[in-house]
Amino acid sequence: MSENYLEKIYGVDDADKQRDVYDQWAASYDADLTDADYETPGRIARALKSVLRDSEMSAPVLDFGCGTGLSGLALTDAGFTRIHGADVSEGMLREAEAKQVYEKLTALPTGNPDPGLVSRYRLVTAMGAISPGAAPASCLPAIFMALPSGGRVALSFNDRAQADEEYSRTLERVTDSSEAVVELDEDGPHVRSAGSTARVLVIRRR
Ligand SMILES: C[S@@+](CC[C@H](N)C(=O)[O-])C[C@H]1O[C@@H](n2cnc3c(N)ncnc32)[C@H](O)[C@@H]1O
């Protein structure tokens, strides 16, 4: 690993600087995360599949904060067939495109989940994407409230997000909302070699 981006990224608060770090990290991201036993994408893809009927597996999935596409690969491995990705980092999106698992990729230059985009999906994933060092907590309610009735968001909430008051309060506000049904909420490994953990949740909008 040329530079320890896995640690470095958590120290970058400014959104523009963070995007630059992801741009620089893109070329070595897959090797770094694979070496570190990154478990979250597989966990989320299997969790989402577990709450769906077979006929729902062919619905398009919006992979918010898709990065280099490790999350798209995990969705493909779980049997999802139509995967669209969105991310702020052009460098990460270029790597995602090369994997050829996404039907469509969208750049989100402002870092906000465009409600017009999200509202077209019944399935949205955010794998390692809403966390200190990644998208702000506000992206979660923005995604959730843009979902159509019956739509689902499947996401990870790592231990750093759980320890952060703003992130944890925001998650609680969403899960406690009368609009939300938490279909799955499981603790487990996040980046195994770092000893980090994450909650994986599937939340359906009534
Ligand atoms: C830790 S990576 C996870 C990437 C991928 N989902 C995975 O599991 O490998 C976090 C990703 O979120 C993206 N990101 C950060 N802030 C974002 C925002 N506000 N909107 C969309 N993507 C964002 C980063 O560019 C990066 O690709």
Side-chain angles (χ1 to χ4, degrees), residues 98-202:
K99 293 205 172 50
Q100 300 188 331
V101 291
Y102 292 95
E103 221 175 61
K104 194 154 96 180
L105 287 163
T106 305
L108 296 172
T110 67
N112 293 315
D114 171 9
L117 173 74
V118 176
S119 64
R120 298 205 284 272
Y121 294 88
R122 297 184 63 77
L123 303 174
V124 179
T125 54
M127 308 198 185
I130 301 178
S131 153
S138 57
C139 286
L140 176 56
I143 289 171
F144 183 70
M145 292 314 290
L147 286 173
S149 171
R152 290 174 167 95
V153 57
L155 75 149
S156 56
F157 217 68
N158 66 21
D159 35 23
R160 296 197 190 232
Q162 291 174 64
D164 181 292
E165 202 167 317
E166 191 186 346
Y167 281 89
S168 56
R169 279 213 188 129
T170 304
L171 176 65
E172 210 174 289
R173 266 207 314 278
V174 169
T175 55
D176 287 356
S177 126
S178 57
E179 294 270 319
V181 179
V182 178
E183 296 184 310
L184 186 143
D185 184 353
E186 268 175 14
D187 256 321
H190 178 50
V191 178
R192 198 179 274 279
S193 75
S196 58
T197 61
R199 274 167 79 183
V200 162
L201 297 103
V202 180

Side-chain angles (χ1 to χ4, degrees), residues 22 29 38 41 64-67 70-71 87-89 92 111 127-128 134-136:
Y22 278 112
Y29 180 91
Y38 180 38
F64 173 79
C66 63
L70 293 180
S71 35
D87 203 285
V88 279
S89 158
M92 298 297 258
M127 308 198 185

